[in-house]
Amino acid sequence: MVRQEHLGMSLSHEFSRVHRDLMDGRVRLSRIGAVAAGTSVSLPWLVVDGAGREVEPVSSYLRDRLLGDVSPLTCRSYAFDLLRWFRVLWTVDVGWEQATEAEAAALVGWLRSARNPQRQRRREGGHPPGAVNPTTGKRVLAAGYAPATIAHNLSAVHGFYAFHLHFGRGPVLNPVPENRARRATLAHRSPLEVPGRHRRGRLRPRVLERVSLMGWSVDRMCLSD
């Protein structure tokens, strides 16, 4: 058996049965809550709970992102990522201020095992998810969530907790682990330097980055932190 400390998780918070079932796709993710349009320029999108109440910790983070000059569409994307995160917390019955890496692992496990509802809408006679289109040579999107989606969701959750930690709120440790060596290197790197390759942070997926070479699209491995 793998020891809990080897996973970098608190011994006081082991995986519950719901955590494991969520990771393995044996339990449905809560459908509570929604992303709703805001009523002000400073908050064009917000997350509401099952009673229609604004989830204030998310709103304060999204306002901060807007002040950082992100677009309203980016704000909306973060809102959906954080709604998914809060649905994980509601499913395992853990408050956002008590979240640990166990919940982040449950989120990643669920994203890896769940079917993306957007992939289920295809035209009659179309190619099944994951297949290669013989005409274009491009691969049809798989039935599940793409590694880039998982990486984006983890980045949104990490940023959410980094923001609140700055003000002394939330757990002492960010639930989403990071590669500290990579972040330290990037913080002191000149924008003219070619970025180096670093090990991925724990739970982070391998993400393929598409580059164009002489008119051909090529997949290149991008290590997400």
Side-chain angles (χ1 to χ4, degrees):
M1 176 180 292
V2 179
R3 291 172 62 93
Q4 189 80 1
E5 59 264 37
H6 290 171
L7 295 175
M9 300 178 190
S10 169
L11 285 170
S12 64
H13 196 142
E14 298 181 357
F15 289 117
S16 69
R17 178 181 294 274
V18 180
H19 281 81
R20 294 193 296 269
D21 287 346
L22 192 61
M23 293 171 67
D24 294 336
R26 293 192 296 266
V27 64
R28 280 177 170 268
L29 185 66
S30 169
R31 301 298 297 173
I32 295 173
V35 172
T39 58
S40 65
V41 175
S42 64
L43 189 65
W45 300 95
L46 52 86
V47 173
V48 297
D49 63 16
R53 297 169 299 198
E54 179 181 351
V55 181
E56 180 55 38
V58 174
S59 294
S60 59
Y61 172 63
L62 294 181
R63 285 192 183 93
D64 182 75
R65 297 302 298 158
L66 263 295
L67 290 174
D69 204 27
V70 303
S71 70
L73 285 179
T74 299
C75 174
R76 181 176 181 270
S77 175
Y78 285 147
F80 275 106
D81 284 334
L82 291 171
L83 170 62
R84 190 180 293 123
W85 170 248
F86 269 78
R87 282 175 169 174
V88 168
L89 297 180
W90 291 329
T91 300
V92 299
D93 194 23
V94 171
W96 77 271
E97 294 178 291
Q98 287 75 46
T100 69
E101 192 175 320
E103 284 69 58
L107 170 67
V108 172
W110 182 83
L111 286 168
R112 288 183 178 276
S113 61
R115 294 179 65 86
N116 188 335
Q118 296 182 1
R119 303 287 185 266
Q120 299 176 23
R121 299 194 298 267
R122 64 185 179 95
R123 293 174 298 179
E124 184 178 353
H127 303 287
V132 175
N133 187 318
T135 303
T136 64
K138 295 182 178 180
R139 184 173 295 278
V140 179
L141 293 174
Y145 289 88
T149 300
I150 299 175
H152 190 279
N153 208 146
L154 287 174
S155 294
V157 174
H158 183 277
F160 169 78
Y161 280 99
F163 165 76
H164 284 288
L165 181 61
H166 176 76
F167 295 100
R169 300 187 292 262
V172 176
L173 294 178
N174 198 310
V176 178
E178 63 179 342
N179 185 333
R180 297 182 183 276
R182 179 184 186 276
R183 288 193 176 272
T185 299
L186 293 179
H188 297 89
R189 182 179 66 85
S190 167
L192 299 179
E193 295 179 30
V194 177
R197 296 176 66 85
H198 301 268
R199 292 178 61 85
R200 288 172 291 131
R202 204 164 47 255
L203 302 180
R204 296 278 182 167
R206 291 184 176 90
V207 178
L208 289 176
E209 179 183 19
R210 298 194 67 84
V211 296
S212 180
L213 298 175
M214 299 179 66
W216 291 85
S217 292
V218 179
D219 287 333
R220 182 178 67 183
M221 191 65 72
C222 175
L223 299 186
S224 171
D225 69 333

